[in-house]
Amino acid sequence: MKQLKFPILLLLISTIAACTPNKKDQTEATTKQRIVCVAKQLTELIYALGAGDQLVGVDLSSTYPPAAQALTKVGYHRLLNSEGIIALKPTVVYHDGNVAPEAVMEQLKKVGVPMKVFPDAHTIPEVKALFDSLAAQFGAQKQADSLKTKLDADLAEAAEEVKQYKTTPKVAIIHFGRVINNYLVIGKAGTASYMLDLAGGKNVMDTLKGMKPLSPEIISKAQPDIILVTDFGYDRLGNAEKLATLPGIALTPAGKNKKIYRIEEHDLIYLGPRTGENVQMLMKLIHQ
Protein backbone atom coordinates (compact mmCIF):
# COMPACT_ATOMS: atom_id res chain seq x y z
CA MET A 1 0.00 0.00 0.00
CA LYS A 2 2.83 2.37 0.87
CA GLN A 3 4.39 1.76 -2.54
CA LEU A 4 1.27 3.17 -4.25
CA LYS A 5 1.30 6.48 -2.36
CA PHE A 6 4.21 8.05 -4.26
CA PRO A 7 2.80 7.50 -7.81
CA ILE A 8 -0.59 8.75 -6.63
CA LEU A 9 1.04 11.86 -5.12
CA LEU A 10 2.89 12.55 -8.38
CA LEU A 11 -0.36 12.18 -10.33
CA LEU A 12 -2.10 14.60 -7.97
CA ILE A 13 0.66 17.20 -8.29
CA SER A 14 0.72 16.98 -12.09
CA THR A 15 -3.07 17.30 -12.24
CA ILE A 16 -3.02 20.45 -10.10
CA ALA A 17 -0.20 21.92 -12.21
CA ALA A 18 -2.12 21.23 -15.40
CA CYS A 19 -5.19 23.03 -14.06
CA THR A 20 -3.29 26.02 -12.72
CA PRO A 21 -2.40 28.66 -15.37
CA ASN A 22 1.15 29.95 -15.16
CA LYS A 23 2.21 33.54 -15.83
CA LYS A 24 3.02 32.80 -19.44
CA ASP A 25 -0.52 31.54 -20.05
CA GLN A 26 -2.15 34.61 -18.56
CA THR A 27 -2.82 37.05 -21.43
CA GLU A 28 -3.53 40.75 -21.43
CA ALA A 29 -7.19 39.82 -21.55
CA THR A 30 -7.08 39.03 -17.82
CA THR A 31 -4.93 42.00 -16.82
CA LYS A 32 -6.30 45.50 -16.45
CA GLN A 33 -4.17 47.89 -18.47
CA ARG A 34 -3.48 51.62 -18.42
CA ILE A 35 -4.03 52.48 -22.09
CA VAL A 36 -3.33 55.73 -23.88
CA CYS A 37 -5.17 55.55 -27.20
CA VAL A 38 -4.29 58.02 -29.95
CA ALA A 39 -6.69 56.88 -32.70
CA LYS A 40 -10.36 57.88 -32.60
CA GLN A 41 -11.57 54.70 -34.31
CA LEU A 42 -9.84 52.55 -31.69
CA THR A 43 -11.10 54.70 -28.83
CA GLU A 44 -14.75 54.20 -29.78
CA LEU A 45 -14.22 50.47 -30.23
CA ILE A 46 -12.55 50.07 -26.83
CA TYR A 47 -15.58 51.64 -25.19
CA ALA A 48 -17.96 49.54 -27.29
CA LEU A 49 -16.17 46.40 -26.10
CA GLY A 50 -16.70 47.44 -22.49
CA ALA A 51 -13.06 48.26 -21.78
CA GLY A 52 -13.30 52.04 -21.50
CA ASP A 53 -12.25 51.87 -17.87
CA GLN A 54 -8.77 50.82 -19.02
CA LEU A 55 -8.22 54.09 -20.90
CA VAL A 56 -6.26 56.78 -19.05
CA GLY A 57 -5.65 59.19 -21.93
CA VAL A 58 -6.62 59.86 -25.54
CA ASP A 59 -5.72 62.19 -28.40
CA LEU A 60 -7.78 65.27 -29.25
CA SER A 61 -9.58 63.57 -32.14
CA SER A 62 -11.07 60.92 -29.82
CA THR A 63 -14.37 62.65 -29.13
CA TYR A 64 -16.73 59.67 -29.06
CA PRO A 65 -18.26 58.43 -26.86
CA PRO A 66 -18.78 61.45 -24.60
CA ALA A 67 -16.94 59.64 -21.80
CA ALA A 68 -13.74 59.90 -23.86
CA GLN A 69 -13.91 63.69 -23.66
CA ALA A 70 -13.41 63.52 -19.89
CA LEU A 71 -10.06 61.72 -20.25
CA THR A 72 -6.68 63.44 -20.22
CA LYS A 73 -5.68 64.68 -23.67
CA VAL A 74 -2.15 64.01 -24.95
CA GLY A 75 -2.30 66.21 -28.06
CA TYR A 76 -3.53 65.67 -31.60
CA HIS A 77 -2.53 62.28 -33.00
CA ARG A 78 -0.21 63.99 -35.50
CA LEU A 79 1.19 66.33 -32.86
CA LEU A 80 1.58 64.22 -29.74
CA ASN A 81 3.13 65.27 -26.44
CA SER A 82 5.57 62.71 -25.05
CA GLU A 83 5.69 64.25 -21.55
CA GLY A 84 1.90 64.13 -21.31
CA ILE A 85 1.83 60.47 -22.33
CA ILE A 86 4.66 59.43 -20.00
CA ALA A 87 3.05 61.27 -17.06
CA LEU A 88 0.01 58.99 -17.35
CA LYS A 89 2.24 55.95 -16.72
CA PRO A 90 0.64 53.86 -19.47
CA THR A 91 1.21 50.14 -19.73
CA VAL A 92 0.67 50.48 -23.49
CA VAL A 93 -0.09 53.04 -26.20
CA TYR A 94 -2.60 52.03 -28.88
CA HIS A 95 -2.47 53.67 -32.31
CA ASP A 96 -3.17 53.01 -36.00
CA GLY A 97 0.17 54.13 -37.43
CA ASN A 98 -1.05 57.65 -38.24
CA VAL A 99 0.96 59.29 -35.46
CA ALA A 100 3.60 62.01 -35.23
CA PRO A 101 6.04 63.57 -34.65
CA GLU A 102 8.56 60.78 -35.05
CA ALA A 103 10.75 62.25 -32.31
CA VAL A 104 7.93 61.73 -29.80
CA MET A 105 7.45 58.11 -30.83
CA GLU A 106 11.19 57.50 -30.49
CA GLN A 107 11.27 59.08 -27.04
CA LEU A 108 8.40 56.85 -25.90
CA LYS A 109 10.29 53.80 -27.12
CA LYS A 110 13.47 54.90 -25.32
CA VAL A 111 11.71 55.18 -21.97
CA GLY A 112 10.15 51.76 -22.51
CA VAL A 113 6.51 52.60 -23.19
CA PRO A 114 5.08 49.59 -25.09
CA MET A 115 3.09 50.29 -28.25
CA LYS A 116 0.51 48.25 -30.06
CA VAL A 117 -0.44 49.13 -33.64
CA PHE A 118 -3.79 48.19 -35.14
CA PRO A 119 -4.38 48.83 -38.86
CA ASP A 120 -7.18 51.30 -39.53
CA ALA A 121 -10.26 49.76 -41.16
CA HIS A 122 -11.73 51.16 -44.38
CA THR A 123 -14.18 48.39 -45.29
CA ILE A 124 -16.81 46.45 -43.38
CA PRO A 125 -14.77 43.20 -43.37
CA GLU A 126 -11.75 45.16 -42.14
CA VAL A 127 -13.67 46.79 -39.31
CA LYS A 128 -15.07 43.41 -38.23
CA ALA A 129 -11.52 42.05 -38.12
CA LEU A 130 -10.57 45.07 -36.02
CA PHE A 131 -13.40 44.23 -33.59
CA ASP A 132 -11.86 40.77 -33.16
CA SER A 133 -8.27 42.04 -32.81
CA LEU A 134 -9.21 44.47 -30.07
CA ALA A 135 -11.51 41.97 -28.37
CA ALA A 136 -8.55 39.61 -27.98
CA GLN A 137 -6.83 42.23 -25.81
CA PHE A 138 -9.70 42.32 -23.32
CA GLY A 139 -11.22 38.84 -23.45
CA ALA A 140 -14.27 40.43 -25.06
CA GLN A 141 -15.03 38.19 -28.05
CA LYS A 142 -18.67 37.83 -27.02
CA GLN A 143 -19.07 41.61 -27.14
CA ALA A 144 -17.28 41.76 -30.51
CA ASP A 145 -19.62 39.13 -31.96
CA SER A 146 -22.63 41.12 -30.75
CA LEU A 147 -21.24 44.29 -32.35
CA LYS A 148 -20.74 42.50 -35.67
CA THR A 149 -24.26 41.09 -35.61
CA LYS A 150 -25.78 44.50 -34.91
CA LEU A 151 -23.64 46.16 -37.59
CA ASP A 152 -24.84 43.66 -40.19
CA ALA A 153 -28.47 44.17 -39.16
CA ASP A 154 -28.19 47.98 -39.26
CA LEU A 155 -26.54 47.95 -42.69
CA ALA A 156 -29.15 45.54 -44.05
CA GLU A 157 -31.90 47.83 -42.77
CA ALA A 158 -30.21 50.84 -44.37
CA ALA A 159 -29.84 49.01 -47.71
CA GLU A 160 -33.58 48.29 -47.70
CA GLU A 161 -34.54 51.80 -46.62
CA VAL A 162 -32.46 53.55 -49.30
CA LYS A 163 -34.55 51.91 -52.02
CA GLN A 164 -37.41 54.34 -51.35
CA TYR A 165 -35.40 57.32 -52.63
CA LYS A 166 -35.60 57.94 -56.37
CA THR A 167 -33.02 60.73 -56.62
CA THR A 168 -29.29 60.87 -55.84
CA PRO A 169 -28.46 64.22 -54.23
CA LYS A 170 -25.08 65.75 -54.99
CA VAL A 171 -23.24 66.39 -51.74
CA ALA A 172 -20.16 68.40 -50.78
CA ILE A 173 -18.50 67.73 -47.42
CA ILE A 174 -16.63 70.66 -45.88
CA HIS A 175 -14.43 70.14 -42.85
CA PHE A 176 -13.81 73.83 -42.28
CA GLY A 177 -13.53 76.94 -44.36
CA ARG A 178 -12.32 80.48 -44.95
CA VAL A 179 -8.69 79.61 -44.30
CA ILE A 180 -6.82 81.86 -46.77
CA ASN A 181 -10.19 82.11 -48.54
CA ASN A 182 -10.37 78.35 -49.15
CA TYR A 183 -12.55 75.52 -47.90
CA LEU A 184 -11.07 72.25 -46.68
CA VAL A 185 -13.16 69.69 -48.55
CA ILE A 186 -13.36 65.91 -48.17
CA GLY A 187 -12.88 64.12 -51.48
CA LYS A 188 -14.32 60.92 -52.90
CA ALA A 189 -11.59 58.51 -51.86
CA GLY A 190 -12.42 57.78 -48.24
CA THR A 191 -14.93 56.55 -45.69
CA ALA A 192 -17.17 59.62 -45.95
CA SER A 193 -17.87 59.00 -49.64
CA TYR A 194 -18.39 55.29 -49.00
CA MET A 195 -21.04 56.15 -46.42
CA LEU A 196 -22.62 58.67 -48.78
CA ASP A 197 -22.94 55.94 -51.40
CA LEU A 198 -24.63 53.64 -48.88
CA ALA A 199 -27.02 56.48 -47.99
CA GLY A 200 -27.97 57.07 -51.63
CA GLY A 201 -25.92 60.22 -52.20
CA LYS A 202 -22.97 61.24 -54.36
CA ASN A 203 -19.88 63.17 -53.39
CA VAL A 204 -19.55 65.91 -56.02
CA MET A 205 -15.80 66.10 -55.38
CA ASP A 206 -15.35 62.77 -57.14
CA THR A 207 -11.93 63.62 -58.57
CA LEU A 208 -10.51 64.74 -55.25
CA LYS A 209 -8.52 62.36 -53.06
CA GLY A 210 -8.33 62.88 -49.34
CA MET A 211 -8.99 66.26 -47.76
CA LYS A 212 -7.92 69.28 -49.82
CA PRO A 213 -8.30 73.08 -49.70
CA LEU A 214 -10.52 74.29 -52.54
CA SER A 215 -11.42 77.80 -53.68
CA PRO A 216 -14.98 79.20 -53.52
CA GLU A 217 -15.06 79.09 -57.33
CA ILE A 218 -14.60 75.32 -57.36
CA ILE A 219 -17.32 74.88 -54.72
CA SER A 220 -19.67 76.99 -56.82
CA LYS A 221 -18.85 75.11 -60.00
CA ALA A 222 -19.60 71.75 -58.36
CA GLN A 223 -23.18 72.88 -57.62
CA PRO A 224 -23.94 70.58 -54.68
CA ASP A 225 -27.58 70.09 -53.68
CA ILE A 226 -26.51 69.46 -50.09
CA ILE A 227 -23.52 70.68 -48.12
CA LEU A 228 -22.48 68.79 -45.01
CA VAL A 229 -20.19 70.67 -42.65
CA THR A 230 -18.38 68.78 -39.91
CA ASP A 231 -18.90 69.97 -36.34
CA PHE A 232 -15.53 71.76 -36.18
CA GLY A 233 -16.17 73.89 -39.25
CA TYR A 234 -19.88 74.42 -38.64
CA ASP A 235 -19.41 75.60 -35.06
CA ARG A 236 -16.43 77.73 -36.07
CA LEU A 237 -18.37 79.52 -38.81
CA GLY A 238 -21.61 79.95 -36.91
CA ASN A 239 -24.79 78.48 -38.41
CA ALA A 240 -26.42 77.42 -41.68
CA GLU A 241 -27.65 80.92 -42.45
CA LYS A 242 -24.15 82.39 -42.21
CA LEU A 243 -22.65 79.53 -44.19
CA ALA A 244 -25.21 80.05 -46.95
CA THR A 245 -23.94 83.60 -47.55
CA LEU A 246 -20.26 82.70 -47.94
CA PRO A 247 -18.49 83.06 -51.31
CA GLY A 248 -18.92 79.99 -53.48
CA ILE A 249 -21.50 78.43 -51.17
CA ALA A 250 -24.02 81.21 -51.80
CA LEU A 251 -24.14 80.34 -55.52
CA THR A 252 -24.89 76.64 -55.03
CA PRO A 253 -28.33 74.99 -54.81
CA ALA A 254 -27.41 74.03 -51.24
CA GLY A 255 -26.74 77.66 -50.33
CA LYS A 256 -29.80 79.04 -52.09
CA ASN A 257 -32.11 76.45 -50.51
CA LYS A 258 -30.40 76.56 -47.10
CA LYS A 259 -29.64 72.84 -47.30
CA ILE A 260 -26.49 73.04 -45.21
CA TYR A 261 -26.31 70.62 -42.31
CA ARG A 262 -24.01 70.01 -39.38
CA ILE A 263 -22.59 66.51 -38.93
CA GLU A 264 -20.26 65.10 -36.31
CA GLU A 265 -16.90 64.31 -37.88
CA HIS A 266 -16.59 61.01 -36.02
CA ASP A 267 -19.92 59.85 -37.51
CA LEU A 268 -18.62 60.25 -41.04
CA ILE A 269 -14.90 59.65 -41.46
CA TYR A 270 -14.31 56.24 -39.91
CA LEU A 271 -16.13 52.94 -39.67
CA GLY A 272 -17.14 51.45 -36.35
CA PRO A 273 -19.92 49.79 -34.39
CA ARG A 274 -22.36 52.62 -35.19
CA THR A 275 -21.71 52.75 -38.95
CA GLY A 276 -25.08 51.23 -39.86
CA GLU A 277 -26.88 53.73 -37.60
CA ASN A 278 -24.83 56.59 -39.04
CA VAL A 279 -25.70 55.59 -42.62
CA GLN A 280 -29.39 55.73 -41.68
CA MET A 281 -28.91 59.13 -40.06
CA LEU A 282 -27.02 60.39 -43.11
CA MET A 283 -29.75 59.08 -45.39
CA LYS A 284 -32.42 61.11 -43.61
CA LEU A 285 -30.19 64.18 -43.66
CA ILE A 286 -29.42 64.26 -47.38
CA HIS A 287 -32.88 63.22 -48.59
CA GLN A 288 -34.94 65.64 -46.52
Side-chain angles (χ1 to χ4, degrees), residues 210-227:
M211 197 180 293
K212 304 288 184 182
L214 297 181
S215 69
E217 291 75 20
I218 294 177
I219 300 292
S220 177
K221 186 178 180 180
Q223 289 290 286
D225 302 309
I226 308 286
I227 292 178

PDB file of all heavy atoms in Angstrom, residues 210-227:
ATOM      1  N   GLY A 210      -8.654  62.374 -50.669  1.00  0.00           N
ATOM      2  CA  GLY A 210      -8.332  62.875 -49.340  1.00  0.00           C
ATOM      3  C   GLY A 210      -9.065  64.161 -49.010  1.00  0.00           C
ATOM      4  O   GLY A 210     -10.169  64.419 -49.471  1.00  0.00           O
ATOM      5  N   MET A 211      -8.423  64.988 -48.203  1.00  0.00           N
ATOM      6  CA  MET A 211      -8.993  66.260 -47.763  1.00  0.00           C
ATOM      7  C   MET A 211      -8.120  67.384 -48.301  1.00  0.00           C
ATOM      8  O   MET A 211      -6.939  67.462 -47.994  1.00  0.00           O
ATOM      9  CB  MET A 211      -9.033  66.288 -46.227  1.00  0.00           C
ATOM     10  CG  MET A 211      -9.940  67.344 -45.630  1.00  0.00           C
ATOM     11  SD  MET A 211      -9.941  67.316 -43.807  1.00  0.00           S
ATOM     12  CE  MET A 211     -10.730  65.748 -43.468  1.00  0.00           C
ATOM     13  N   LYS A 212      -8.702  68.261 -49.133  1.00  0.00           N
ATOM     14  CA  LYS A 212      -7.921  69.282 -49.824  1.00  0.00           C
ATOM     15  C   LYS A 212      -8.564  70.660 -49.695  1.00  0.00           C
ATOM     16  O   LYS A 212      -9.785  70.781 -49.635  1.00  0.00           O
ATOM     17  CB  LYS A 212      -7.796  68.953 -51.316  1.00  0.00           C
ATOM     18  CG  LYS A 212      -7.202  67.593 -51.636  1.00  0.00           C
ATOM     19  CD  LYS A 212      -5.718  67.539 -51.358  1.00  0.00           C
ATOM     20  CE  LYS A 212      -5.133  66.195 -51.771  1.00  0.00           C
ATOM     21  NZ  LYS A 212      -3.695  66.101 -51.458  1.00  0.00           N
ATOM     22  N   PRO A 213      -7.738  71.724 -49.679  1.00  0.00           N
ATOM     23  CA  PRO A 213      -8.295  73.081 -49.700  1.00  0.00           C
ATOM     24  C   PRO A 213      -8.746  73.441 -51.110  1.00  0.00           C
ATOM     25  O   PRO A 213      -7.998  73.279 -52.064  1.00  0.00           O
ATOM     26  CB  PRO A 213      -7.114  73.949 -49.249  1.00  0.00           C
ATOM     27  CG  PRO A 213      -5.895  73.162 -49.604  1.00  0.00           C
ATOM     28  CD  PRO A 213      -6.269  71.718 -49.511  1.00  0.00           C
ATOM     29  N   LEU A 214      -9.983  73.908 -51.231  1.00  0.00           N
ATOM     30  CA  LEU A 214     -10.524  74.289 -52.536  1.00  0.00           C
ATOM     31  C   LEU A 214     -11.047  75.721 -52.486  1.00  0.00           C
ATOM     32  O   LEU A 214     -11.563  76.180 -51.468  1.00  0.00           O
ATOM     33  CB  LEU A 214     -11.662  73.347 -52.949  1.00  0.00           C
ATOM     34  CG  LEU A 214     -11.309  71.874 -53.153  1.00  0.00           C
ATOM     35  CD1 LEU A 214     -12.551  71.097 -53.576  1.00  0.00           C
ATOM     36  CD2 LEU A 214     -10.208  71.711 -54.193  1.00  0.00           C
ATOM     37  N   SER A 215     -10.975  76.404 -53.601  1.00  0.00           N
ATOM     38  CA  SER A 215     -11.422  77.795 -53.683  1.00  0.00           C
ATOM     39  C   SER A 215     -12.944  77.873 -53.750  1.00  0.00           C
ATOM     40  O   SER A 215     -13.615  76.902 -54.141  1.00  0.00           O
ATOM     41  CB  SER A 215     -10.837  78.451 -54.938  1.00  0.00           C
ATOM     42  OG  SER A 215     -11.425  77.880 -56.100  1.00  0.00           O
ATOM     43  N   PRO A 216     -13.528  79.021 -53.400  1.00  0.00           N
ATOM     44  CA  PRO A 216     -14.979  79.201 -53.523  1.00  0.00           C
ATOM     45  C   PRO A 216     -15.473  78.957 -54.947  1.00  0.00           C
ATOM     46  O   PRO A 216     -16.577  78.449 -55.137  1.00  0.00           O
ATOM     47  CB  PRO A 216     -15.168  80.671 -53.116  1.00  0.00           C
ATOM     48  CG  PRO A 216     -14.030  80.960 -52.208  1.00  0.00           C
ATOM     49  CD  PRO A 216     -12.886  80.182 -52.765  1.00  0.00           C
ATOM     50  N   GLU A 217     -14.654  79.283 -55.932  1.00  0.00           N
ATOM     51  CA  GLU A 217     -15.058  79.095 -57.329  1.00  0.00           C
ATOM     52  C   GLU A 217     -15.299  77.620 -57.643  1.00  0.00           C
ATOM     53  O   GLU A 217     -16.237  77.262 -58.375  1.00  0.00           O
ATOM     54  CB  GLU A 217     -13.998  79.659 -58.267  1.00  0.00           C
ATOM     55  CG  GLU A 217     -13.875  81.179 -58.262  1.00  0.00           C
ATOM     56  CD  GLU A 217     -13.177  81.744 -57.034  1.00  0.00           C
ATOM     57  OE1 GLU A 217     -12.448  80.976 -56.359  1.00  0.00           O
ATOM     58  OE2 GLU A 217     -13.368  82.940 -56.734  1.00  0.00           O
ATOM     59  N   ILE A 218     -14.449  76.757 -57.101  1.00  0.00           N
ATOM     60  CA  ILE A 218     -14.600  75.318 -57.356  1.00  0.00           C
ATOM     61  C   ILE A 218     -15.842  74.785 -56.653  1.00  0.00           C
ATOM     62  O   ILE A 218     -16.580  73.952 -57.200  1.00  0.00           O
ATOM     63  CB  ILE A 218     -13.342  74.554 -56.907  1.00  0.00           C
ATOM     64  CG1 ILE A 218     -12.148  74.966 -57.773  1.00  0.00           C
ATOM     65  CG2 ILE A 218     -13.565  73.046 -56.995  1.00  0.00           C
ATOM     66  CD1 ILE A 218     -10.839  74.326 -57.379  1.00  0.00           C
ATOM     67  N   ILE A 219     -16.108  75.275 -55.439  1.00  0.00           N
ATOM     68  CA  ILE A 219     -17.320  74.876 -54.720  1.00  0.00           C
ATOM     69  C   ILE A 219     -18.546  75.265 -55.527  1.00  0.00           C
ATOM     70  O   ILE A 219     -19.479  74.478 -55.714  1.00  0.00           O
ATOM     71  CB  ILE A 219     -17.388  75.522 -53.326  1.00  0.00           C
ATOM     72  CG1 ILE A 219     -16.188  75.118 -52.469  1.00  0.00           C
ATOM     73  CG2 ILE A 219     -18.706  75.159 -52.626  1.00  0.00           C
ATOM     74  CD1 ILE A 219     -16.152  73.679 -52.070  1.00  0.00           C
ATOM     75  N   SER A 220     -18.545  76.492 -56.031  1.00  0.00           N
ATOM     76  CA  SER A 220     -19.670  76.993 -56.820  1.00  0.00           C
ATOM     77  C   SER A 220     -19.868  76.185 -58.094  1.00  0.00           C
ATOM     78  O   SER A 220     -20.996  75.824 -58.459  1.00  0.00           O
ATOM     79  CB  SER A 220     -19.444  78.462 -57.163  1.00  0.00           C
ATOM     80  OG  SER A 220     -20.485  78.943 -57.988  1.00  0.00           O
ATOM     81  N   LYS A 221     -18.777  75.859 -58.753  1.00  0.00           N
ATOM     82  CA  LYS A 221     -18.845  75.106 -60.003  1.00  0.00           C
ATOM     83  C   LYS A 221     -19.392  73.693 -59.786  1.00  0.00           C
ATOM     84  O   LYS A 221     -20.084  73.139 -60.655  1.00  0.00           O
ATOM     85  CB  LYS A 221     -17.462  75.035 -60.634  1.00  0.00           C
ATOM     86  CG  LYS A 221     -17.440  74.391 -62.006  1.00  0.00           C
ATOM     87  CD  LYS A 221     -16.031  74.415 -62.586  1.00  0.00           C
ATOM     88  CE  LYS A 221     -16.021  73.756 -63.972  1.00  0.00           C
ATOM     89  NZ  LYS A 221     -14.652  73.757 -64.559  1.00  0.00           N
ATOM     90  N   ALA A 222     -19.134  73.116 -58.641  1.00  0.00           N
ATOM     91  CA  ALA A 222     -19.595  71.753 -58.360  1.00  0.00           C
ATOM     92  C   ALA A 222     -21.105  71.681 -58.169  1.00  0.00           C
ATOM     93  O   ALA A 222     -21.709  70.626 -58.352  1.00  0.00           O
ATOM     94  CB  ALA A 222     -18.890  71.219 -57.110  1.00  0.00           C
ATOM     95  N   GLN A 223     -21.730  72.779 -57.775  1.00  0.00           N
ATOM     96  CA  GLN A 223     -23.184  72.883 -57.621  1.00  0.00           C
ATOM     97  C   GLN A 223     -23.803  71.757 -56.768  1.00  0.00           C
ATOM     98  O   GLN A 223     -24.713  71.048 -57.202  1.00  0.00           O
ATOM     99  CB  GLN A 223     -23.850  72.905 -59.003  1.00  0.00           C
ATOM    100  CG  GLN A 223     -23.632  74.190 -59.793  1.00  0.00           C
ATOM    101  CD  GLN A 223     -24.394  75.364 -59.188  1.00  0.00           C
ATOM    102  OE1 GLN A 223     -25.615  75.460 -59.316  1.00  0.00           O
ATOM    103  NE2 GLN A 223     -23.671  76.264 -58.528  1.00  0.00           N
ATOM    104  N   PRO A 224     -23.349  71.613 -55.543  1.00  0.00           N
ATOM    105  CA  PRO A 224     -23.943  70.582 -54.675  1.00  0.00           C
ATOM    106  C   PRO A 224     -25.371  70.932 -54.261  1.00  0.00           C
ATOM    107  O   PRO A 224     -25.696  72.099 -54.042  1.00  0.00           O
ATOM    108  CB  PRO A 224     -23.012  70.570 -53.460  1.00  0.00           C
ATOM    109  CG  PRO A 224     -22.433  71.948 -53.413  1.00  0.00           C
ATOM    110  CD  PRO A 224     -22.266  72.354 -54.851  1.00  0.00           C
ATOM    111  N   ASP A 225     -26.219  69.910 -54.182  1.00  0.00           N
ATOM    112  CA  ASP A 225     -27.581  70.093 -53.677  1.00  0.00           C
ATOM    113  C   ASP A 225     -27.588  70.208 -52.168  1.00  0.00           C
ATOM    114  O   ASP A 225     -28.446  70.869 -51.581  1.00  0.00           O
ATOM    115  CB  ASP A 225     -28.456  68.897 -54.075  1.00  0.00           C
ATOM    116  CG  ASP A 225     -28.502  68.674 -55.572  1.00  0.00           C
ATOM    117  OD1 ASP A 225     -28.788  69.647 -56.296  1.00  0.00           O
ATOM    118  OD2 ASP A 225     -28.241  67.536 -56.008  1.00  0.00           O
ATOM    119  N   ILE A 226     -26.633  69.507 -51.550  1.00  0.00           N
ATOM    120  CA  ILE A 226     -26.512  69.458 -50.088  1.00  0.00           C
ATOM    121  C   ILE A 226     -25.060  69.745 -49.722  1.00  0.00           C
ATOM    122  O   ILE A 226     -24.143  69.269 -50.394  1.00  0.00           O
ATOM    123  CB  ILE A 226     -26.870  68.063 -49.531  1.00  0.00           C
ATOM    124  CG1 ILE A 226     -28.232  67.583 -50.043  1.00  0.00           C
ATOM    125  CG2 ILE A 226     -26.795  68.031 -48.010  1.00  0.00           C
ATOM    126  CD1 ILE A 226     -29.415  68.259 -49.419  1.00  0.00           C
ATOM    127  N   ILE A 227     -24.867  70.511 -48.662  1.00  0.00           N
ATOM    128  CA  ILE A 227     -23.521  70.682 -48.118  1.00  0.00           C
ATOM    129  C   ILE A 227     -23.541  70.204 -46.673  1.00  0.00           C
ATOM    130  O   ILE A 227     -24.351  70.654 -45.861  1.00  0.00           O
ATOM    131  CB  ILE A 227     -23.044  72.143 -48.192  1.00  0.00           C
ATOM    132  CG1 ILE A 227     -22.841  72.561 -49.651  1.00  0.00           C
ATOM    133  CG2 ILE A 227     -21.734  72.316 -47.418  1.00  0.00           C
ATOM    134  CD1 ILE A 227     -22.416  74.004 -49.837  1.00  0.00           C
TER     135      ILE A 227
END
